[in-house]
Amino acid sequence: MYQNIKKKNLINTIILTFIILFLIVYFFFGFYSLENSSGAGDFDGDLASIWSNLEIFKTGVIENLDNRNYNDSRIPLSYILHIKLNPFSNSISGLRNSVFLISLLVPILFYVSIKKKYENLNNLFLICISLIITLSPYFRTSSYWALGENYAFIFILVSFLLLNMIENEKKDQTKNLFILFLLTLSSSIVVYFDQKLAIIPLIVYLQILVSNQSLKYKILTTFFYILFSLPFFYLIFLWESILPPNAHALRLEDQNNEIYHIGYASSMIAFYLFPLIFFKENWKYSLTKKIFNKNFVLFLFFILIYLLLIIIFGNFNELPNLGKGVLHKGLSVIFVNDNIKFILTLFGFFVSFIIIYFYLDFKYDFIFIIYFLIISFFIHPFLQEYIDPIFFLLLFTFFKTKIVINFKNILIIFIYYFSFLTVAQVYY
């Protein structure tokens, strides 16, 4: 019996080691083979646009903050840092290579973060989970073509680690205050890399406010956040929007059918939650308990009201082609008839909300879901990359709902994400 267990563990170790090596090699291979698995990237695509933006700020930062030729929806912090701190940003190849190397920090910090949350987990499991993010088509594209999304992920993970340090550090007040300063700074920087991720400083701020920390500590937190938000408020005043002028005209212009955005956003979120439902301890008991909970009936009522509003006020045939994520693209590839696609879209929305309900165990986690559903209503178009890979990072860090991480579950997640990447590569 003991020999059989030992042999099984050895086989599992060999398989996990192979997966780890494969993920590392495949990630580097994608860079050198000029992979473009999300529809962005390429030398003539987003990289050319990013290089053009960088050239604008090389002529001066302050005077170009409201430059109409700046073609990005994000605050230009990444461009400023490249100009000031990156000695390799003087050429397109140097910029691309350096961003790829910077992106390697994400799986490294992700590993440290998971290790902090799942302290007793097998080290090979930790490495595998942290490397599975490299199968995200959007993380890969950002890494390969110098896009700016990955910088935000770095500071999200730094914020998670610092937040844990504060919770565990009670005695040394001087050290705690220094950590607080770094925490509020890092979580604020997340917004400067991607305004959509304002949920991170908000969550950090709320956690500190409801903690057992002293009133002085909470007042200082408030002061730091106000201080670090001042440059952003200046940009809002300058742009008369939370987006740069060019992006504001494209992203926040009047459009119809925003009511669909919530459903499509839920389908994107559910896509990442679905396999993890079955990784929860006693998942069958958990599902049964939630089905017979009185809140489930109320939840179904709100879903049906939402679907009814779509039927009454939405116009499926007027939806733009761009965005809407995996559900829309999948149905568009398989079906031609618009009526069939409409019915299956509504069914997909219904199933997606059910998956979200079944997965989450804590009201705290619903804050993230509600936040992304709300902002989806105001963003045109709402893209899959706004959810991927941020939700994969959040699920293993900030989310309170925990899952069982073992060999079988890691194998399933690996196959799930590798299949998604393969389909994305074929699609694009």
Side-chain angles (χ1 to χ4, degrees):
M1 182 70 177
Y2 173 76
Q3 291 296 325
N4 290 335
I5 294 175
K6 190 174 180 180
K7 183 178 179 180
K8 182 180 178 182
N9 289 338
L10 178 60
I11 293 172
N12 290 352
T13 300
I14 292 172
I15 293 173
L16 289 176
T17 304
F18 172 78
I19 290 175
I20 290 170
L21 293 175
F22 171 81
L23 290 171
I24 294 171
V25 172
Y26 195 50
F27 185 58
F28 278 84
F29 173 76
F31 175 73
Y32 288 107
S33 64
L34 308 180
E35 177 191 305
N36 182 10
S37 56
S38 70
D42 214 339
F43 287 103
D44 297 325
D46 282 1
L47 181 57
S49 178
I50 289 166
W51 180 254
S52 176
N53 292 333
L54 191 64
E55 291 287 281
I56 290 173
F57 289 104
K58 283 181 179 178
T59 64
V61 173
I62 301 299
E63 56 268 39
N64 284 302
L65 286 175
D66 60 345
N67 192 313
R68 294 278 170 173
N69 293 319
Y70 174 58
N71 185 26
D72 199 321
S73 62
R74 295 174 179 83
I75 295 170
L77 177 60
S78 61
Y79 298 100
I80 297 169
L81 292 178
H82 277 304
I83 293 169
K84 302 297 183 182
L85 302 177
N86 186 355
F88 305 104
S89 63
N90 291 321
S91 68
I92 292 180
S93 61
L95 176 67
R96 181 172 176 263
N97 294 340
S98 58
V99 171
F100 175 70
L101 292 176
I102 292 170
S103 297
L104 295 177
L105 287 173
V106 176
I108 293 172
L109 288 170
F110 194 26
Y111 165 81
V112 178
S113 300
I114 302 171
K115 190 174 181 64
K116 176 67 67 173
K117 186 172 181 178
Y118 297 90
E119 295 179 351
N120 300 320
L121 198 62
N122 181 297
N123 204 47
L124 282 177
F125 294 173
L126 291 170
I127 297 172
C128 271
I129 293 292
S130 62
L131 286 173
I132 282 175
I133 193 174
T134 63
L135 293 176
S136 160
Y138 308 97
F139 176 74
R140 293 170 77 88
T141 299
S142 297
S143 303
Y144 300 160
W145 300 106
L147 277 72
E149 287 87 341
N150 293 349
Y151 311 130
F153 303 149
I154 290 171
F155 282 91
I156 286 173
L157 295 170
V158 169
S159 299
F160 174 77
L161 292 169
L162 289 171
L163 183 61
N164 276 273
M165 290 176 66
I166 279 185
E167 291 175 347
N168 295 327
E169 182 62 51
K170 301 290 185 182
K171 298 178 182 179
D172 191 336
Q173 287 299 310
T174 303
K175 182 179 178 181
N176 226 8
L177 288 174
F178 181 65
I179 295 172
L180 174 66
F181 175 82
L182 293 179
L183 171 60
T184 51
L185 176 61
S186 64
S187 57
S188 297
I189 287 175
V190 170
V191 182
Y192 286 92
F193 284 127
D194 194 338
Q195 300 94 307
K196 296 186 299 297
L197 298 178
I199 184 65
I200 301 302
L202 175 63
I203 283 291
V204 171
Y205 183 53
L206 290 176
Q207 282 197 228
I208 292 175
L209 287 185
V210 300
S211 69
N212 295 324
Q213 300 288 349
S214 66
L215 179 61
K216 172 187 172 183
Y217 199 84
K218 295 174 183 179
I219 292 174
L220 266 176
T221 303
T222 305
F223 170 75
F224 285 148
Y225 272 124
I226 293 174
L227 178 66
F228 296 140
S229 67
L230 291 179
F232 190 29
F233 284 120
Y234 169 72
L235 289 175
I236 293 175
F237 171 78
L238 184 67
W239 295 337
E240 298 181 350
S241 169
I242 62 171
L243 300 179
N246 190 30
H248 175 82
L250 295 173
R251 300 296 181 93
L252 296 181
E253 62 184 1
D254 292 335
Q255 295 203 20
N256 297 320
N257 288 315
E258 289 92 342
I259 195 168
Y260 279 95
H261 289 200
I262 294 174
Y264 280 119
S266 71
S267 69
M268 298 177 200
I269 293 170
F271 179 80
Y272 302 100
L273 297 183
F274 173 68
L276 301 184
I277 287 179
F278 309 103
F279 299 169
K280 295 167 66 175
E281 195 169 5
N282 298 320
W283 66 268
K284 291 181 181 178
Y285 170 76
S286 177
L287 292 185
T288 303
K289 185 178 178 182
K290 288 195 171 189
I291 289 173
F292 290 102
N293 190 305
K294 62 180 180 180
N295 292 329
F296 184 56
V297 177
L298 185 63
F299 189 73
L300 286 176
F301 173 76
F302 281 113
I303 295 175
L304 294 175
I305 290 294
Y306 170 68
L307 296 179
L308 184 62
L309 290 174
I310 288 180
I311 294 171
I312 296 173
F313 298 107
N315 191 331
F316 188 75
N317 295 325
E318 290 184 359
L319 287 173
N321 291 324
L322 187 61
K324 301 183 290 299
V326 64
L327 174 64
H328 169 74
K329 288 180 171 60
L331 293 178
S332 297
V333 169
I334 299 171
F335 300 99
V336 176
N337 186 284
D338 285 339
N339 292 327
I340 294 176
K341 285 195 289 185
F342 175 64
I343 294 171
L344 291 177
T345 295
L346 294 182
F347 179 71
F349 290 172
F350 178 82
V351 172
S352 298
F353 284 119
I354 296 299
I355 289 172
I356 292 171
Y357 174 82
F358 280 160
Y359 177 77
L360 300 182
D361 290 334
F362 294 88
K363 294 179 181 178
Y364 169 89
D365 295 347
F366 270 103
I367 297 175
F368 291 94
I369 304 296
I370 293 170
Y371 172 82
F372 278 95
L373 293 182
I374 290 174
I375 67 168
S376 73
F377 194 80
F378 300 98
I379 297 177
H380 309 281
F382 196 79
L383 307 173
Q384 185 89 18
E385 64 188 75
Y386 299 161
I387 299 297
D388 183 329
I390 179 61
F391 255 82
F392 189 74
L393 291 173
L394 293 176
L395 288 170
F396 288 94
T397 53
F398 282 92
F399 273 52
K400 301 296 184 183
T401 301
K402 289 190 176 183
I403 62 172
V404 175
I405 302 176
N406 54 34
F407 173 78
K408 182 190 73 174
N409 292 346
I410 287 177
L411 203 58
I412 292 172
I413 295 177
F414 168 73
I415 294 170
Y416 188 79
Y417 277 88
F418 182 70
S419 300
F420 175 51
L421 173 60
T422 303
V423 171
Q425 290 169 338
V426 172
Y427 181 87
Y428 287 108

